[in-house]
């Protein structure tokens, strides 16, 4: 190739690039609305694409990368464990498992923990735990679980049945039986839904996919009281809102209640596939030997990374800083909403679990695409909000940068 043809060659490659990208994506089941961007690297609060463009990541892989990308301590933890032991089944103890299980249980309300690899599995495990609890107490007729409108609990046929969102079930019925859905934040509706068959109430302390909608402390306390009155288990799905995002390890901690079971995932592995069900010994009392399991659950690589993530989150000052920087971000987003009332109606959420409520919810993807084109990643919710879920390590400069990129996008976008 002569020097003269090189620019033409480059132009040609650039022209066919979108085509190549489309072809590369072709073998994937088209269940996602995947952006035409290929990410190649992450560092701190930024992602970089194959053209070297940087993106300030205020989505964190949907609340996953709590310590940002390629955090040196997580990289070291994974490297060191990978040289010792990757997998050895749950027929044995490992140091990594014993260490992390003890730390995690010590850090919260729970007496016991079951590890798995995804949020959906954690929810499935919780559902089984609920049923076994009443079964083992001689009340197998108590198997129904009350969930809340707008909730998202996962996509398996059990977890999907727990969601009240009808559209996501289309074509998949009949799903697992045993769920009753009640209106959001309506304690009377919840009270009226309780029957002799009710086994548990399951809800997200703060709804994520549902558009960053918070249950008040008063509501949660009333739910706890109802559960106690009726001998019902209270399960909190903290897969998205937990793990430091609201400035406490779990979001319920600020409400003054103690749940019986908590599901956690997303942030717990900081990007390594990891999830857990945490429970009191009473709530878990039905789960005896042989009743449940997971081949990959308790995987030593996951346990080592989980330990490293938790160590950072529990370091003095870390969670307090989440509240502080969360307030800064909240104020910055509030100012943005005031300046762009045509786009946003307000800010929802707390800590670093925030949402921009949209004036025109049907434009959420268009808006998110525009923000991405200007170097900022956010996560559209299923409903009427753009979720702002940055890594918990962001600093003031990142808040300012995000605000600048948002304004650029809103001024220059369509
Ligand atoms: C993401 C999410 C799930 C499902 O987790 P997966 O890891 O995608 O299976 C369940 N519940 C809530 C609240 C979530 O945000």
């Amino acid at each position: 190739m002569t020097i003269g043809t090189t620019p033409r060659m480059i132009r040609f490659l650039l022209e066919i690039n979108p085509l190549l990208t489309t072809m590369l994506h072709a073998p994937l089941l088209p269940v996602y609305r995947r952006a035409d961007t290929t990410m190649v690297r992450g560092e701190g609060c930024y992602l970089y694409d194959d053209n070297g463009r940087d993106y300030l990541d205020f989505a964190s892989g949907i609340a996953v990368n709590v310590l940002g990308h390629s955090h040196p301590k997580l990289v070291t933890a994974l490297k060191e464990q990978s040289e010792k032991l990757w997998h050895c089944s749950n027929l044995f103890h490992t140091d990594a498992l014993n260490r992390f299980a003890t730390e995690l249980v010590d850090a919260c309300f729970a007496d016991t923990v079951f590890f798995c690899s995804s949020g959906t599995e954690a929810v499935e495990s919780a559902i089984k735990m609920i049923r076994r609890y009443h079964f083992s107490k001689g009340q197998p007729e108590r198997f129904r679980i009350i969930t809340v409108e707008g909730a998202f609990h996962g996509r398996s046929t059990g977890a999907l049945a727990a969601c009240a969102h009808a559209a996501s079930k289309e074509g998949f019925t009949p799903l697992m039986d045993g769920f009753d859905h009640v209106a959001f934040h309506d304690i009377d509706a919840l009270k009226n839904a309780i029957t002799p068959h009710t086994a548990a109430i399951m809800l997200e302390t703060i709804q994520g996919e549902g558009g960053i909608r918070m249950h008040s402390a008063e509501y949660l306390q009333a739910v706890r009281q109802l559960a106690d009155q009726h001998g019902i288990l209270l399960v909190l799905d903290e897969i998205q809102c937990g793990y430091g995002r609201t400035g406490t390890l779990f979001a319920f901690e600020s409400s003054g209640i103690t749940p019986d079971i908590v599901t956690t995932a997303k942030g717990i592995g900081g990007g390594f596939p990891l999830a857990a069900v945490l429970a009191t010994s009473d709530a878990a009392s039905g789960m005896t030997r042989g009743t449940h399991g997971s081949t990959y659950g308790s995987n030593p690589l996951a346990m080592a990374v989980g330990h490293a993530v938790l160590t950072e989150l529990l370091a003095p000052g870390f969670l307090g800083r989440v509240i502080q920087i969360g307030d800064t971000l909240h104020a910055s987003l509030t100012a943005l909403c005031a300046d762009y009332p045509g786009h946003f109606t307000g800010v929802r959420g707390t800590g670093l679990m925030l949402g921009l409520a949209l004036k025109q919810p049907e434009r959420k993807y268009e808006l998110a695409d525009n923000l991405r084109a200007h170097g900022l990643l956010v996560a559209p919710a299923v409903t009427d909000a753009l979720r702002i879920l940055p890594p918990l390590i962001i600093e003031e400069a990142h808040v300012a940068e995000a605000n600048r990129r948002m304004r650029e996008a809103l001024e220059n976008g369509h």
Side-chain angles (χ1 to χ4, degrees):
M1 192 191 328
T2 66
I3 302 259
T5 63
T6 306
R8 252 171 58 200
M9 193 68 192
I10 289 170
R11 227 177 12 253
F12 172 67
L13 284 172
L14 283 175
E15 267 165 26
I16 66 163
N17 185 40
L19 192 72
L20 282 175
T21 310
T22 309
M23 283 163 63
L24 285 171
H25 289 172
L28 297 172
L29 195 70
V31 292
Y32 282 107
R33 187 183 181 281
R34 205 179 288 273
D36 203 4
T37 305
T38 302
M39 298 299 185
V40 292
R41 190 169 68 84
E43 193 181 327
C45 300
Y46 291 87
L47 278 173
Y48 298 88
D49 72 12
D50 56 351
N51 293 316
R53 283 203 56 196
D54 65 87
Y55 300 84
L56 183 53
D57 187 3
F58 271 34
S60 306
I62 324 286
V64 168
N65 305 92
V66 284
L67 297 178
H69 299 276
S70 302
H71 189 287
K73 294 209 173 138
L74 302 198
V75 171
T76 302
L78 187 58
K79 269 188 186 161
E80 285 182 355
Q81 184 61 44
S82 75
E83 283 162 7
K84 277 193 246 168
L85 180 63
W86 284 33
H87 180 82
C88 77
S89 92
N90 280 295
L91 301 178
F92 302 95
H93 286 275
T94 68
D95 288 341
L97 167 60
N98 292 343
R99 176 180 63 178
F100 184 47
T102 305
E103 284 168 349
L104 184 55
V105 163
D106 284 351
C108 69
F109 76 101
D111 302 310
T112 184
V113 59
F114 175 80
F115 290 112
C116 44
S117 312
S118 73
T120 300
E121 281 174 85
V123 168
E124 289 291 330
S125 307
I127 294 169
K128 286 179 74 176
M129 190 180 279
I130 292 162
R131 290 192 169 186
R132 277 294 287 199
Y133 173 81
H134 294 287
F135 170 85
S136 70
K137 295 216 182 304
Q139 296 188 298
E141 74 283 2
R142 298 187 75 163
F143 66 91
R144 300 195 70 83
I145 301 172
I146 299 175
T147 65
V148 172
E149 171 258 317
F152 180 75
H153 296 296
R155 298 187 183 271
S156 60
T157 52
L160 190 56
C163 306
H165 191 234
S168 55
K169 301 180 185 178
E170 197 180 45
F172 297 119
T173 53
L175 295 172
M176 182 182 171
D177 185 25
F179 294 93
D180 300 304
H181 312 298
V182 297
F184 179 81
H185 212 274
D186 183 339
I187 200 70
D188 290 327
L190 184 57
K191 205 179 292 180
N192 293 334
I194 295 172
T195 74
H197 296 291
T198 305
I201 298 162
M202 177 161 75
L203 50 90
E204 296 162 85
T205 316
I206 301 173
Q207 288 190 348
E209 295 291 335
I212 314 290
R213 294 198 299 168
M214 300 178 60
H215 289 106
S216 69
E218 294 71 31
Y219 174 84
L220 292 172
Q221 286 159 14
V223 173
R224 176 72 271 181
Q225 221 168 18
L226 272 179
D228 288 342
Q229 258 169 31
H230 295 272
I232 294 167
L233 295 173
L234 173 56
V235 184
L236 295 180
D237 181 347
E238 294 232 0
I239 288 169
Q240 190 161 153
C241 65
Y243 242 73
R245 192 144 287 282
T246 63
T248 46
L249 185 58
F250 291 104
F252 72 81
E253 290 171 29
S254 61
S255 69
I257 63 155
T258 305
D260 300 299
I261 300 172
V262 164
T263 54
T264 179
K266 294 196 166 99
I268 190 175
F272 199 91
L274 173 58
V277 186
L278 290 152
T280 63
S281 46
D282 181 45
S285 57
M287 300 303 282
T288 49
R289 186 171 296 166
T291 54
H292 198 44
S294 161
T295 299
Y296 283 140
S298 315
N299 171 276
L301 296 171
M303 296 297 100
V305 177
H307 159 73
V309 172
L310 187 61
T311 304
E312 288 302 299
L313 259 60
L314 296 181
F318 186 95
L319 291 174
R321 246 196 50 77
V322 170
I323 295 180
Q324 211 182 344
I325 195 77
D327 287 346
T328 307
L329 179 56
H330 196 290
S332 162
L333 294 174
T334 303
L336 186 86
C337 289
D339 291 344
Y340 295 92
H343 286 94
F344 309 115
T345 58
V347 184
R348 295 187 195 144
T350 182
L352 290 175
M353 177 140 193
L354 298 173
L356 284 167
L358 298 173
K359 184 106 181 194
Q360 297 168 277
E362 68 282 2
R363 291 189 60 212
K364 63 188 170 191
Y365 294 118
E366 191 190 321
L367 261 171
D369 288 349
N370 184 24
L371 292 173
R372 189 181 66 252
H374 289 82
L376 181 73
L377 305 182
V378 299
V382 169
T383 53
D384 58 346
L386 292 181
R387 282 171 293 175
I388 312 292
L389 307 164
L392 306 184
I393 56 165
I394 56 161
E395 295 175 1
E396 274 76 8
H398 297 119
V399 174
E401 179 76 47
N403 196 293
R404 200 156 47 240
R405 290 186 184 193
M406 280 187 189
R407 285 172 190 273
E408 270 169 27
L410 295 167
E411 290 301 325
N412 302 323
H414 7 271

